[in-house]
Structure formats: structure tokens, C-alpha cells
Amino acid sequence: MPSILGGGLSGLSAAFYLLQKGVSGRQIQLFEASARYGGWIKSVQQKGGEFIFECGPRTIRPVGESGRNTLALLEALKLEQEIVPILKSSPAARRRMIYVNGQLHVLPSSLMGALKKQSPFSRPLVAALFHDIRTGKSSELLEDESMYSFVHRRFGQEIADYAISPMICGICAGNAKEISVKFLMKDLFAKEQQYGGVVRGMLGSALSSKNKKTNQDASKLAQRAKTEKWSIYSLKGGLETLPKTLFQHLNENYVKITPNSECISMNFGKNGVDLQFRDSTEATESVVAALPSYKLSEIVKQQHPMLSEMLSGIPYVDVGVVNVQYSSPDVLKEQGFGFLAAPLEKIPILGVIFDSCCFDTKPNTVLTVMMGGHWFREYFGESPKEGDLLATAQKYLKEILKIQESPTESRVNILRKCIPQYIVGHHARVEGIRKYIVDKKLPLSLCGAAYDGVGINDVILSARSAVDALKANGIY
């Protein structure tokens, strides 16, 4: 009987993929330490559903292998009619801003925009491509480097400071000077290593794949997303509709789901694994661990201290999420997806999402302020009060977006250790963790944001890969 530890999106998805592989639901156990499922995805209905406060992730991208995989999952769950797409032509897709030098700046969203000089950049963005071409091949073959270092070297300081650094704040609330390029943008890193430059690599890979046929757009939903030109999308009722539907699907297929069950240790033996909980022990043939790496580190520490040490080497950051609602539709003067703040500004907010521009919340204006991340303790200390975060959010909404009035409703969430940090060397670290598991022949497979990426698509594909790994090793 396979068991899953963790009832977040990756754990629920792992149970779904076990069912797809033909494992009977009655043979699957899922244990969640808390009373709710869905992890950091939390959609709170306000005013009887008039609008939604998203307390965590809110949108999904439809592109790439992982994007297509998620769309196939949604199709299998019959959620096609619940999708709320944001088209590439909409202001929310075309207008993305950065806050730098005390001002908001709209990033170019077209080729013509890249050909013109646009603040805060001193030259047209296309100049950065020529910088990459002129830079040529690195004199040494690097194992890894930071996103900031890589972009600074290949495209120049302005791109590193004004584009990449804010983008990393948006992706993982991290510091671009520490985050690994090999893990987060492995394709760009590989192109430089293989072709001697990013632009050369993009041209070379485009030519080599020109005549290749692909079946990657297999699902009808993926074809629809491509035809209708979706940029991103969410779901009616908020993104939490996805884990709620997954939970319902698992229940209908007789998966044994146990809340309030925190695993405190894991003992591997000849016939499987003993999972120790507060008040009981459960024997299982194999485990899919869909837990934060620091939690799994404690569970395996007694029997496998080396594995525990590797797992604990992945750092996490805290993020403050402040949702605000104003009763007037005219409070927000800007249109777009929102803005990210450049770390150079040295302010406590990472950025602001314009929920009202992404989704119809009329007559309300709804915004989400993201705060802290890598710098959370620097700005807020160890134990900040929710009121302090709300006051900070209002201060910067006033200064940057010129919103003078106080919100009608608000919600503050402090998400402790919510996002793993893919610091330089992370790719090798994850490879080492998985190699240890294989070498020791442990009936254990890992999935989640710590190992395969922080996005919704990443954790779902990670769950599918974890289930595939168990099957490939003959564990079920």
C-alpha cells in the first residue's frame, strides 16, 4: 500500500497520479498534518462571493510541458468550464511594471517596445542581446552561478538590476544574487554552455527543432489555450477550486485521507516503511513525501542523518500577504497585472498584484501586497504583528499608487517558510538527495516545490514524476 505524506497540491496530485496508474484508491493512504488541504493555496470568499482574497498563488501559466500537464489534469477533473483565462491581448498580460528609482515603469511587451529606449533603461532592450553576442563564450565551464551574476555577465547591469532582480522577487521572493541560474533557468544556462551564448543558443536550438513534430498539445484544453492565446488563467471561486476538486476526486475513489496526522519519524525496513505518528504507527510499502524539505529532514534524521543534513540545507523564506479591498472602482489609476519592486529600492514590499485588472471584481478594487521574502526578518523582525504589515502595505500603496483612502476590508497572512530558495548549487543538492535515496534503495520518492520548482505547474509535474519513479523502481 503506497502512502503519501502531505495534503498540499503536490500530495493531492500524487494520489491522483497513483489512481491514474491503476492503483486502487483503497490501497492509497494520504496523511496531512493539519485540518485542511491545499497547502499554501487559499482562496477566501468575501461578501458572499462578491470578490476573492487569494492568500497564496492565484494564476497558472498554460505553456511548456508542465503547463500542458496541468491542463491535462484539469481536463481529467472536468474543470474546463471553471477556467477564467487572461488573454495575451489584455492589459493584465501586456502591462507589467517595475518600481525603481522611486517610480513605476512599464516593461516592454512587444518587439517594437524592445527596439525603443524606455525608462528606466538607458538603452533599448535589444541592446542587451547584442551585449550577449559580443560577450562570447565564457573562458571557463561553470558548474553554476547566481541569476544576477549570469544576467549581469551576459546582458549587462541594468537588466540584472531592473529586470531580473525584481523578477526573482516575484518568482520565489528571493535574492537574485543568491538564486541558482542552473536550477531556475536551466535552459538559458545550458545554451551558454553548449553554444557559447544565450542568443546563439536560442537560434541554434530553434534551427535544430524546426522540422521536429510534436504531440505535446495532446489535450483539448491545451489546444484551446493555444488557440485562444491565454497568457495565464485561474479558476472560478479562486485557485483553491483545484485542490478542493482533487480532494473530492480522491474521496470518490476511496482514497484513505487522514487529517491532523503529523508524521514524526520514518523507519525503513526490509518489508517497507513504518510511519510513526503522535498516537500510532502505520506500516506501508512505499512513501511519496510531499512535504517541505525541512520537515522531511526531521522525519528521516534518526535513521538517515546524511539525508537529513542534505534536506535541511535547502533554506526557506517567509512572505507577508496583505489583501485589501476598496468599494470604489476608481481607486486604482494604473492598469496591468501589477508591479514588482527592485531590491535596489530597499523597501519591505516585493510587489503589488492588481487583482481587479486580472479578474472582474467590479465595483470593488482588490489588490494584493506581497512583502518580505528574503528580507522578511530584516524589515519585520522575528514576530511582527499583523497590524504592522497592514500599515506598511497601506504606506506603500499611498506612496507608489497614490491611494489615499483606507481599505474597506483587508486580510493579513504571514506565510512562514513558504517558499524554498534555490541558492547556487541547488541542482547538485537535489541530485545528491535523490541519488542517496536510489543508492540506499529506499522505497521513497520526493515531490514538491523544494525539488522541482515553485510554480503550480512545477509541483503538479513533480508529483507525477515522483509516482513514475516509484513505478520505475518496481515499488508498486
Side-chain angles (χ1 to χ4, degrees):
M1 178 184 290
S3 294
I4 299 164
L5 294 179
L9 183 59
S10 56
L12 296 172
S13 299
F16 171 86
Y17 288 119
L18 280 169
L19 290 172
Q20 276 208 327
K21 292 290 184 182
V23 179
S24 167
R26 290 186 171 88
Q27 292 183 295
I28 303 170
Q29 301 181 98
L30 186 149
F31 300 97
E32 164 57 33
S34 71
R36 69 176 293 272
Y37 301 89
W40 296 116
I41 302 176
K42 188 176 182 181
S43 308
V44 181
Q45 303 277 345
Q46 301 290 130
K47 288 188 176 180
E50 189 175 316
F51 59 91
I52 295 166
F53 279 164
E54 290 282 16
C55 305
R58 69 205 55 232
T59 57
I60 308 174
R61 287 175 56 81
V63 297
E65 179 193 359
S66 61
R68 289 185 287 270
N69 180 69
T70 299
L71 290 169
L73 170 66
L74 294 175
E75 192 170 294
L77 293 172
K78 298 180 170 45
L79 283 172
E80 298 98 318
Q81 300 307 313
E82 302 302 308
I83 291 175
V84 183
I86 296 175
L87 305 183
K88 291 180 179 179
S89 58
S90 71
R94 296 176 62 247
R95 284 178 57 86
R96 292 172 183 259
M97 292 169 272
I98 55 171
Y99 180 72
V100 66
N101 299 330
Q103 297 180 55
L104 286 176
H105 305 268
V106 180
L107 292 171
S109 60
S110 66
L111 177 60
M112 289 303 296
L115 294 173
K116 295 186 288 187
K117 185 172 95 63
Q118 193 167 326
S119 65
F121 304 100
S122 61
R123 298 182 299 169
L125 288 189
V126 71
L129 303 182
F130 291 111
H131 185 286
D132 173 68
I133 294 169
R134 289 195 305 272
T135 298
K137 191 171 185 176
S138 174
S139 58
E140 56 180 324
L141 201 62
L142 299 171
E143 287 296 322
D144 196 0
E145 68 179 309
S146 74
M147 283 291 307
Y148 186 92
S149 171
F150 178 83
V151 172
H152 187 290
R153 183 166 57 79
R154 301 272 7 147
F155 300 105
Q157 184 172 351
E158 285 189 343
I159 302 297
D161 283 336
Y162 300 156
I164 292 302
S165 290
M167 185 186 77
I168 297 302
C169 289
I171 293 174
C172 62
N175 183 352
K177 293 181 178 179
E178 295 183 0
I179 299 300
S180 160
V181 66
K182 185 175 183 178
F183 183 83
L184 205 61
M185 293 193 174
K186 56 187 175 184
D187 288 344
L188 294 187
F189 184 76
K191 283 178 173 58
E192 185 201 30
Q193 301 295 299
Q194 182 177 353
Y195 294 95
V198 176
V199 174
R200 288 191 179 95
M202 292 174 73
L203 292 173
S205 58
L207 289 172
S208 66
S209 62
K210 186 176 180 182
N211 297 318
K212 289 182 180 178
K213 293 183 179 180
T214 177
N215 294 317
Q216 290 177 321
D217 289 336
S219 75
K220 291 180 181 178
L221 199 50
Q223 293 173 16
R224 178 185 153 198
K226 189 173 182 180
T227 301
E228 295 178 2
K229 298 182 179 179
W230 299 358
S231 173
I232 51 179
Y233 64 93
S234 188
L235 298 168
K236 294 176 184 176
L239 204 57
E240 196 175 350
T241 298
L242 174 52
K244 284 180 176 178
T245 305
L246 272 169
F247 179 83
Q248 181 181 346
H249 177 80
L250 301 182
N251 263 326
E252 290 171 352
N253 284 275
Y254 308 107
V255 173
K256 183 181 179 182
I257 304 175
T258 311
N260 301 309
S261 297
E262 181 181 5
C263 181
I264 56 176
S265 70
M266 189 185 303
N267 185 62
F268 297 93
K270 292 182 179 180
N271 299 318
V273 191
D274 287 333
L275 301 175
Q276 181 66 51
F277 298 90
R278 298 289 177 189
D279 302 313
S280 65
T281 300
E282 295 282 346
T284 185
E285 294 174 0
S286 61
V287 175
V288 176
L291 300 171
S293 56
Y294 64 89
K295 288 189 176 180
L296 182 60
S297 171
E298 290 300 314
I299 293 171
V300 300
K301 189 174 184 177
Q302 186 173 354
Q303 194 178 25
H304 293 278
M306 187 179 295
L307 176 59
S308 174
E309 185 177 349
M310 288 190 283
L311 289 164
S312 66
I314 301 172
Y316 283 69
V317 297
D318 304 333
V319 174
V321 180
V322 180
N323 306 101
V324 293
Q325 172 263 339
Y326 304 89
S327 297
S328 168
D330 302 320
V331 171
L332 184 63
K333 307 304 179 186
E334 296 283 352
Q335 294 291 305
F337 184 81
F339 72 84
L340 293 169
L344 282 175
E345 292 300 292
K346 297 188 182 301
I347 60 176
I349 70 168
L350 301 169
V352 178
I353 299 164
F354 301 170
D355 300 88
S356 298
C357 295
C358 300
F359 309 106
D360 184 12
T361 64
K362 293 178 183 178
N364 304 286
T365 297
V366 181
L367 307 173
T368 304
V369 185
M370 314 298 290
M371 316 172 74
H374 173 81
W375 303 271
F376 190 92
R377 283 171 175 74
E378 177 184 340
Y379 288 116
F380 301 111
E382 291 291 334
S383 304
K385 295 177 181 177
E386 291 185 358
D388 293 338
L389 268 70
L390 177 59
T392 301
Q394 288 185 252
K395 168 182 163 65
Y396 287 98
L397 290 173
K398 181 178 181 179
E399 289 184 10
I400 300 172
L401 296 177
K402 314 304 179 188
I403 298 176
Q404 303 299 324
E405 62 188 82
S406 297
T408 307
E409 291 192 36
S410 63
R411 185 182 183 93
V412 178
N413 286 274
I414 300 175
L415 312 182
R416 296 291 191 184
K417 291 182 133 181
C418 63
I419 305 180
Q421 299 296 282
Y422 312 120
I423 59 177
V424 173
H426 187 76
H427 185 271
R429 187 174 297 106
V430 172
E431 280 193 336
I433 290 168
R434 286 183 163 142
K435 184 177 185 299
Y436 181 98
I437 291 169
V438 171
D439 289 349
K440 298 292 183 181
K441 296 181 172 57
L442 302 180
L444 172 67
S445 194
L446 311 179
C447 63
Y451 316 106
D452 298 302
V454 74
I456 296 294
N457 292 330
D458 298 320
V459 299
I460 293 173
L461 184 58
S462 177
R464 194 184 82 179
S465 300
V467 169
D468 288 346
L470 284 181
K471 189 170 182 65
N473 293 327
I475 295 174
Y476 71 87

